[in-house]
Amino acid sequence: MLSQYLCQVCKCLFLRNLKLESVKVASFARRIHSSSNKLSDSESKEQTVQKCETEELPQSTENSNFGRFHIPVMLEEVVNCLSPEPGQRFLDMTFGAGGHTAALLEKASDITVYALDRDPTAYKIAQQLSESYPKQIQPLLGQFSQSEALLISSGVEPGTLDGVLLDAGCSSMQFDTPERGFSLQKDGPLDMRMDSDRYPDMPTAADVVNALDQQALASILRTYGEERHAKKIASAIVQARSIYPITRTQQLASIVAGAFPASALYARKDLLQRPAHVATKTFQGLRIFVNDELHELFIGLKTAEKFLKPGGRLVALSFHSLEDRIIKRFLHGIDMTEKYNLGSKQKIRQALKNSSKGEDTQKSPCRKYNSKWIFMHKKVLTPQAKDIQTNPRGRSAKLRAAIKL
C-alpha cells in the first residue's frame, strides 16, 4: 500500500520538475512526507496503537556508553562563539550525544540549555545528562519543524534566548549503530530514519528504493547526493529490485558498486584523500530525502532567529555544500529560490531585467542583501588540522556564526 502510494506521488512530482534546485525539490519531499503522514494516520486505526514517545528505549551497550567517547565537532570554536555567561539560556537544536551542551555547562555555571533532538536515543541521553545538571538541561524530543511548539510548551518565549547551536546532518551515534541503517560500512536494515520508530509508518530508505521509478530515484540521487552518475545508479537499483527486494545497507552498496567497473569502487577520494566508497553519495541522497533534512534545516534556522534576543548568537555547523548553501543564504538574507553562483555579467543582466520591470534596484543581485545578522567572522571557519586528526569525521565541517540584530 505505502509503496504504491509513494510511487504514484513521486511520479506526479518528480517528472514535472527534474531540473529544480535542491531547495525547490525539498518542497516536493515535504508534500510526500506530509501525505504519508495522513496515510499512516488512517491506517493506524486498523493497526496497533503507536508506542508512546517517552516509552523506555532499548539501548545497546554501544549507545549507552556513546557519550563517554564521542568527540564533538569544532568544540572549542563553538564554545568561543556562543561565549556562555552565568544566567543565560541556550538552545542546542541537535543534542546528539551531548558533547557541545556539556562543554557549555562546564564553561559557565547557572546556564540553562534546552536540548532538542529528533532521535529518541539522543533524547534518552539528554534525560540522563539532565540528572547530573538538574534544572539546567531541558530535554526536548522533536524535529526542527516542531521546535517552536516544544519551546513554547517549555515556557520559552520568542526573543528570549541568548544563543542557539545548530549542528546539521547525521550524528556519529547514528552512523555507528548498524541497526539504524545509515552506514554502508556496517550491514543493517535499510532504514535511515532519524526519528527511528517514532513514526513507524513513515517511509524508510528501503521503501524509497523499492517503490520509486527510475527517473524519481535519479532525481533524488542527483539533487540530494550530488551524484553525477545518478541515472546509472538508479537503473542498477531498478534492475536489482526486479529480482529481489532491497532491504539491507550492504546489499544496496553492492548494487551501486556493481554499476561501476571494479577499478572505480574506491576511485573517489574524501577531503583527506582517503578512498571513498562509490555508494557514499547515494546513501547521502537517500538519507537527506527520507528525513526531509533541507526543509527541516531551513525551518530550524527560522526558529532560531525567532527565539533569539537581539544580540543573541547563532552558531551553525554544516557538513556538505547543500547544508552550507542554505545556512549562508539565510544569514545573508538571500531568497532560497534564487540562482546561486551568478557571474558578474549575469548579475548585471538580472539587475537590468529587474529595473525594466519597475522593481526596486536595491533588490537586485548586485547589492548586499538585507541581512538581519552581523557575522562574527569574515570567512567560514573549518576544523584545525589537529581536530581533523582526532576526529576525521568532522573534516568537512563548516562553521558560520552570527549575531542577531
Side-chain angles (χ1 to χ4, degrees):
M1 174 68 178
L2 180 59
S3 296
Q4 294 175 352
Y5 180 80
L6 273 171
C7 191
Q8 291 173 357
V9 173
C10 282
K11 278 183 180 179
C12 174
L13 298 178
F14 281 96
L15 293 181
R16 284 189 310 172
N17 298 280
L18 292 176
K19 295 184 179 180
L20 291 179
E21 295 173 17
S22 60
V23 176
K24 293 181 182 178
V25 177
S27 66
F28 296 154
R30 294 202 301 278
R31 292 172 63 182
I32 294 172
H33 282 264
S34 61
S35 299
S36 298
N37 257 334
K38 295 176 182 177
L39 176 68
S40 64
D41 288 342
S42 62
E43 289 179 340
S44 63
K45 296 178 182 179
E46 303 172 3
Q47 299 173 352
T48 58
V49 179
Q50 181 176 337
K51 294 181 180 179
C52 179
E53 292 178 357
T54 56
E55 182 181 3
E56 187 69 22
L57 297 167
Q59 290 186 341
S60 65
T61 304
E62 181 180 10
N63 283 343
S64 61
N65 295 325
F66 186 83
R68 299 178 185 176
F69 57 83
H70 171 61
I71 304 174
V73 176
M74 301 183 71
L75 181 61
E76 182 179 344
E77 291 86 348
V78 167
V79 174
N80 289 339
C81 288
L82 289 174
S83 187
E85 297 179 2
Q88 290 186 330
R89 298 197 297 175
F90 296 88
L91 170 62
D92 186 346
M93 299 194 77
T94 40
F95 178 81
H100 289 117
T101 289
L104 291 173
L105 291 166
E106 291 176 6
K107 181 71 173 180
S109 60
D110 194 30
I111 67 170
T112 301
V113 179
Y114 296 90
L116 173 74
D117 207 292
R118 65 190 293 179
D119 191 325
T121 302
Y123 176 69
K124 191 70 176 178
I125 295 174
Q127 289 180 314
Q128 294 170 352
L129 187 61
S130 67
E131 295 174 2
S132 302
Y133 296 92
K135 298 183 179 180
Q136 287 188 268
I137 295 181
Q138 299 288 333
L140 303 174
L141 177 62
Q143 304 168 1
F144 291 159
S145 55
Q146 300 166 333
S147 58
E148 180 175 347
L150 289 169
L151 286 168
I152 291 175
S153 66
S154 298
V156 182
E157 296 294 328
T160 60
L161 293 178
D162 296 282
V164 174
L165 169 63
L166 196 158
D167 184 357
C170 194
S171 71
S172 291
M173 179 168 54
Q174 291 164 336
F175 277 122
D176 289 335
T177 308
E179 295 79 14
R180 302 297 298 275
F182 287 95
S183 175
L184 59 86
Q185 303 294 343
K186 301 177 181 180
D187 190 44
L190 192 58
D191 193 327
M192 296 194 191
R193 293 173 299 171
M194 290 181 176
D195 299 285
S196 191
D197 290 325
R198 288 181 63 217
Y199 307 110
D201 292 311
M202 285 300 291
T204 65
D207 292 325
V208 173
V209 298
N210 285 296
L212 304 190
D213 62 34
Q214 182 174 328
Q215 204 164 7
L217 283 173
S219 182
I220 290 172
L221 301 185
R222 186 186 307 109
T223 304
Y224 298 124
E226 299 179 294
E227 174 57 69
R228 292 177 298 170
H229 304 288
K231 287 185 178 180
K232 180 190 294 187
I233 294 171
S235 176
I237 290 173
V238 171
Q239 185 176 359
R241 78 186 187 195
S242 66
I243 304 172
Y244 46 79
I246 304 171
T247 60
R248 310 287 294 181
T249 55
Q250 291 196 341
Q251 180 187 7
L252 176 60
S254 298
I255 291 168
V256 175
F260 296 86
S263 59
L265 184 58
Y266 286 98
R268 297 177 179 178
K269 306 290 183 182
D270 64 17
L271 293 180
L272 300 180
Q273 295 304 305
R274 303 178 306 179
H277 196 282
V278 73
T280 300
K281 291 187 175 183
T282 297
F283 273 65
Q284 173 188 303
L286 289 171
R287 189 201 81 219
I288 292 174
F289 178 77
V290 166
N291 295 288
D292 201 13
E293 291 182 33
L294 300 186
H295 172 242
E296 286 292 320
L297 173 59
F298 182 57
I299 296 299
L301 291 167
K302 291 201 294 185
T303 301
E305 180 184 338
K306 182 174 182 176
F307 279 84
L308 278 172
K309 63 174 61 172
R313 302 184 175 197
L314 170 64
V315 175
L317 285 164
S318 61
F319 293 87
H320 55 75
S321 60
L322 298 177
E323 293 172 343
D324 185 57
R325 187 179 302 145
I326 291 173
I327 294 169
K328 182 178 179 180
R329 284 176 162 234
F330 179 82
L331 293 177
H332 279 283
I334 303 174
D335 191 325
M336 293 293 169
T337 60
E338 184 176 305
K339 290 184 178 180
Y340 54 90
N341 294 336
L342 289 176
S344 57
K345 290 184 179 179
Q346 290 174 302
K347 290 181 180 180
I348 294 171
R349 193 179 300 119
Q350 184 67 41
L352 292 173
K353 183 179 179 181
N354 291 342
S355 179
S356 66
K357 291 181 178 180
E359 296 182 9
D360 186 354
T361 55
Q362 290 299 308
K363 295 182 180 180
S364 75
C366 295
R367 74 175 181 93
K368 289 188 176 180
Y369 291 86
N370 259 340
S371 176
K372 301 175 183 178
W373 306 87
I374 298 175
F375 291 89
M376 297 179 65
H377 310 98
K378 290 184 178 180
K379 295 183 178 180
V380 63
L381 299 185
T382 56
Q384 302 177 35
K386 62 177 182 179
D387 294 330
I388 295 176
Q389 187 174 5
T390 305
N391 184 17
R393 279 182 176 167
R395 61 190 178 276
S396 59
K398 291 184 178 181
L399 186 152
R400 297 186 185 272
I403 299 173
K404 181 181 176 181
L405 292 174

